[in-house]
């Protein structure tokens, strides 16, 4: 049996609530898609300045402007490690994040422009992060509306329904996360580590997601019998797999 | 993106509790695997003589022997329609079915002999059919034991963990069935209909599973945006998909 | 045992998010209630012009005004087929639908005016239709508030808590739908078909919901042993059945 | 709207794992069915001598024979209070209970003999009582087999599928119990109390199930708006309600 | 083994959607914490004037102002019975309750001011009370934001993540409530009864929550084997217990 | 607030299906209980010779006797590292494990002898290990029967209901495991590592459970705000926590 192939006609859209989410949760997978020639578009909705920059705010003179500047540099370096060139930062507020009608239209427009086969974003529940839940719903609804002929938007054309996959949240079990899809990232694991290291202040997260990659790799071996899998990332599916064969 | 390919190296093992289950629940998929050259092995555990032959028993002079004979002929004809040549009937009692240690060893041996990539059998819950639940567990456990080096059995060698997929039960929702995998059977749907028609006495089931195929086909289109899908069969997964790419 | 009887004192309120929902999901049941003399009030919240009129928008010169006109005619014809005379169209926007405080008061007022024994509307989850989820919540909350003495609204009086039943969504299992109540529609099935045929452009939905009616009819026979059931519609309950006897 | 009516053609079969279960969990409902003329058959599978007679065994000289004798007297008195005349005690061992093939045939025969519209027995899960779970499965499977023509048993004829309702277990929430059906027992509540008082040694249970009846009565009022409901018993359903109307 | 100790360094924050919730659902626990010297802060978000004052509105000349006055007196008396001195009433509208950004900041500020070890509030689901669900989410999110350094708010300092426990809703099972934590309130049960009696018009609720306390007490004995437990209150956990030992 | 204390009156019973389970899943917790003076009794039901000794069987001349010998030595060394002196090995067959009536009586007797406050064993579901599920049920049922006066067994006296906690299975999410209790093992983590290293052939498991300990430690910090937690083990609860205070 031969696997689905990633090539230059493969379009992947990644939507990340905060600066680091796309790296911790899908850095290896993104690097792999790029390595195999896929078109990867990345949307980073916020800098995570309020909710995911704890260490920076230990400096009492810290400013919002400076925090964003630091996070922007980290994003730039990390995307370089993964090979991502097509990315945009929307600079929404985080903690609480909210989305306006304009944001909704912008996401819809983005999906119709990219016409992604696969969308990667946050899954529907995250026990400790309300922003992630909002983004999950935001992206899902935009993907549904994007398929409807009657949702007219100048200069766009209706897209097919993308397959959507949800990131693993920080605390998987209490967020009701199920690893429905486990992607082998052995060949790009070093790139993921390099990208994680761009967020130097968050050493405990680097350790955490390194441990996760090892654990998911072990499970990948057990579920498949394929001993070449060493590191992996897990995702949940938004709807059933549809295709011509079992996979 | 290109799909997983079925070819002559693909090995599929199907385990059916009663005479008709493999047809109602996976006839189109089996025919497709055979059409594309896969090796398909079918185990039919019982004739379904007590629990799935209601109409035959309306004849008060009916005998067990005769019921089995009729079911055997139907199986023979139906497998012909699907192209299945490698099948065996274990002739266990049904309603209630039970399995002995010998049966367990026989299944283990079968799995190690076939070394299937994919096993198709009943899912873990069936609201109205205790036999199906027993078979689900029976096959699953055999597949787990088959991977263990320490479970020694003469003339067999350990197999890799097969992917297992569960049939759709008769009443899906109250059996907690989730259609995690929807297989397009448009190209073999006519064969499935022909195979179903070998069980002439069960017209209401032919209507039922034709309606199901249409419904799953509609859902396949909606979930994928691929309008060529007309008929489909749905399955549940026993464990996560593991692989190199999204699918 | 004798069944609950529908008569002229039976009041049924149906709330449909889009033009067609009340037909696909409850057309047979509505026709039956009317046939047996019940008072049926129907609220159609939107024309479904953006989200449920795909085929009409294939015409690039299509206008919103014209789509609504077509849908209005279809509604008129379909309600005629079912015998519904008391209906209103709120003309909310769909895809995304949202409700204002005025809409909330209007629904509350409607419930207090109709004082329905039974409310039929969308169930809490629909895997591909955010509008349906919004309507489910909207109607449920109005029904709760309508029972409270302290929620004062001129010219209305508090209603008893209505029983609420949820429509079957398009993709039942992935919307976590459970068929808790299956209503036999054999005697009005032809009317449902006639009503569905008023939406000619949506042939695939007519096929789909005809297949569903057959499947639910089969299940109705299996669950009850009553072989007169041929076609049925399934619903979920919002709260427990309360009564003097099992049913 | 008028309710389903209990009359002399209504047949109810109650299967109780231990001596007291049918009283604590369904005494009011049983009394009501009898009061309205239904045919009620009661099967008590064990005396509950080991698992539900704690107080009696505080006497160190207590014997199994004596415990059973006491429980038998209590059953006799309690059934009298409820008006039950058709009952049998199978005297299986409890804690752990197990059932043989003979027991299975006996239950099947009982169901075919009674041809019940409704079966009342234990629900599928009971957090602290493995016997209850076994009985739930035992009765359910017998009810399924009883409908099959091919399950031949001398002097019996196939029955229709009975509706099955599950008792409320002692600790409802942790047993995943959902009160899907709440039966008003206001008119027979005094009889239930009288029957409970036949088990004098278990005062804490009498208090417990009196409190439960009050709570379920309150919920019956809230869910229905019917303020005449004072006391009630809750049950779970084994499969969907099927019928001609909402209820 | 020795239990966690309540003392003067223990800080408990209780957030109640309506006037009576904190009494029905946690009155015994609050009284106990106070009795043992803990610092208890109580926030009552609304008077429950619209949704939880049915009886008062039977008087057609009733005014909102007067209802609030009566509820305020009841709160005053009830808190006295429990020993609560630190409480505040926010006077939000109920039925429907909604919260503004100002309310969110106020709650965040309250949490940072109190720095509670434990927060008691409504659990995530309440089958008949949308206000309770809103409050659950409102308090939970404030507790998460309160721990983040980047969520700057003048004159406040970041708090540790509080443990959050959810009240038992009125209809436990249909609200998916699980009694994960059962607190013995035997020593303060009389105080709870006295506090409940301050809401004289709601006799059916006093009966209801007295019955609940008895039932939870019985379960406390069964789960622990400790026969001194007579009355108890049940709560659900928002996240895992973390500690040095089993408990 | 002060924590529950472990001391010499604390009795912990650990039941492990195979040789290594108690180490991978609870080694740090066991060591901690011993370090603080608790009485820890360990029952190892099997050597895991068939199902958990894959590497040893790579030697084609391997014998069952020799595998057991090796595992026995490993157990001896590992228990030494943890400080466990009171342990017994029942030498049941594994893969499939089954238990006889004699085994059931033996476990019941063990529980009555130890009278444990806490029992640690496998949780109810393990996606890839049927033995673990069997043991979970086996121990739970024995614990229930042990509390019943009527279950007479010479030379034993009824025990109180122990609190039971379930091990984390190998693949947590697909086994529906929820980390309801997270125990800090920072002070004994080195002992756990030393014990794991007694199973040298299973390096991938040592890596796996080291990664798990780090991950659970991170979560312990996030859930509690206590930054001293570095390593932890997670467990599920069999029934609610009951006590005098929140914990």
């Amino acid at each position: 049996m031969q696997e689905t192939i990633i090539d230059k006609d493969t379009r992947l859209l990644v939507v990340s609530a905060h600066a680091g989410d796309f790296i911790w949760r899908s850095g290896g997978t993104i690097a792999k898609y790029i390595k195999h020639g896929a078109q990867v578009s990345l949307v980073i909705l916020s800098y995570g300045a309020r909710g995911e920059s704890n260490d920076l705010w230990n400096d009492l003179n810290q400013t919002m402007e400076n925090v964003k500047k630091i996070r922007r540099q980290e994003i730039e370096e990390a995307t370089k490690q993964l090979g991502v060139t097509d990315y945009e930062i929307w600079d929404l507020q985080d903690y609480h994040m909210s989305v306006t009608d304009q944001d909704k239209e912008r996401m819809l427009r983005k999906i119709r422009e990219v016409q992604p086969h696969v969308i990667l974003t946050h899954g529907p529940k995250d026990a400790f992060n309300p922003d992630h839940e909002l983004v999950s719903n935001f992206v899902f609804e935009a993907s549904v509306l994007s398929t409807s002929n009657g949702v007219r938007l100048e200069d766009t054309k209706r897209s097919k329904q993308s397959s959507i996959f949800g990131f693993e949240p920080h605390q998987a079990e209490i967020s009701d996360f199920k690893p429905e899809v486990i992607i082998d990232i052995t060949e790009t694991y070093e790139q993921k580590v390099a990208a994680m290291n761009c967020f130097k202040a968050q050493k405990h997260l680097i350790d955490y997601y390194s441990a996760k990659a090892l654990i998911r790799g072990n499970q990948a071996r057990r579920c498949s019998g394929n001993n070449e899998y060493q590191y992996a990332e897990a995702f949940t599916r938004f709807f059933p797999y549809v295709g011509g064969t079992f996979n």
Side-chain angles (χ1 to χ4, degrees), chain A:
Chain A
M1 295 205 297
Q2 184 185 329
E3 274 225 349
T4 307
I5 284 175
I6 310 171
D7 60 22
K8 69 182 171 42
D9 295 327
T10 307
R11 292 182 302 276
L12 178 69
L13 173 64
V14 183
V15 184
S16 178
H18 310 99
D21 289 324
F22 68 98
I23 301 162
W24 313 119
R25 309 182 195 297
S26 64
T29 299
I30 291 173
K32 188 172 182 180
Y33 269 71
I34 286 171
K35 186 176 170 188
H36 288 266
Q39 303 168 45
V40 175
S41 303
L42 168 64
V43 174
I44 299 166
L45 295 172
S46 80
Y47 288 104
R50 285 162 54 92
E52 317 222 324
S53 309
N54 252 330
D55 300 316
L56 299 175
W57 293 101
N58 287 337
D59 174 355
L60 288 180
N61 296 319
Q62 191 56 278
T63 64
M64 181 57 75
E65 197 184 351
N66 192 50
V67 167
K68 287 187 181 177
K69 193 179 136 205
I70 295 170
R71 309 298 327 249
R72 194 159 45 238
Q73 288 166 345
E74 292 169 343
I75 290 170
E76 201 176 319
E77 290 166 33
T79 48
K80 213 167 284 172
Q81 296 295 348
L82 302 179
V84 177
T85 53
D86 170 13
Y87 70 93
E88 59 196 55
I89 305 172
W90 288 19
D91 194 12
L92 302 183
Q93 189 193 289
D94 70 318
Y95 255 46
H96 298 294
M97 187 173 285
S98 61
V99 286
T100 62
D101 285 351
Q102 282 68 36
D103 297 324
K104 288 181 184 177
E105 184 180 315
R106 188 176 177 189
M107 182 54 71
L108 182 50
R109 197 173 277 284
K110 184 79 189 175
I111 291 173
R112 288 193 171 172
E113 177 195 315
V114 173
Q115 299 269 338
H117 297 100
V118 167
I119 297 177
L120 268 191
T121 191
H122 299 272
K125 191 170 167 199
D126 193 318
F128 278 114
N129 202 314
D131 289 359
H132 292 175
E133 300 189 357
L134 175 127
V135 171
S136 183
N137 202 42
F138 168 48
V139 175
F140 167 65
E141 292 196 8
S143 89
V144 169
L145 265 67
S146 74
T147 70
S148 187
N149 241 343
V151 179
R152 295 220 160 168
L153 205 57
E154 222 170 294
D155 297 327
T156 69
K157 59 179 265 260
R158 171 187 180 185
S159 66
K160 283 196 185 182
Q161 179 64 54
S162 312
S163 293
I164 312 183
F165 296 87
F167 294 143
E168 175 163 353
H170 191 71
Q171 298 206 24
E173 297 92 350
I174 62 172
S175 303
D176 296 339
F177 174 80
K178 295 286 173 196
E180 295 175 288
V181 172
I182 302 182
I183 301 292
D184 167 40
I185 59 163
T186 307
E187 62 176 305
T188 53
Y189 180 63
E190 289 311 319
Q191 281 178 269
K192 178 173 187 171
V193 172
M196 292 197 293
N197 276 307
C198 300
F199 293 79
K200 291 181 205 72
Q202 297 177 280
K203 177 150 186 346
H204 66 287
L205 287 180
I206 301 174
D207 292 345
Y208 188 87
Y209 286 101
S210 300
K212 273 276 173 184
L214 181 150
I215 282 175
R216 294 304 181 196
N218 177 302
Q219 295 175 346
R221 289 197 299 279
R222 176 64 189 89
C223 290
S224 68
N226 184 333
N227 284 322
E228 291 174 11
Y229 298 153
Q230 291 184 56
Y231 299 100
E233 287 169 345
F235 302 89
T236 194
R237 305 189 69 98
F238 278 54
F239 8 93
Y241 165 77
V242 178
T245 66
F246 292 107
N247 50 66

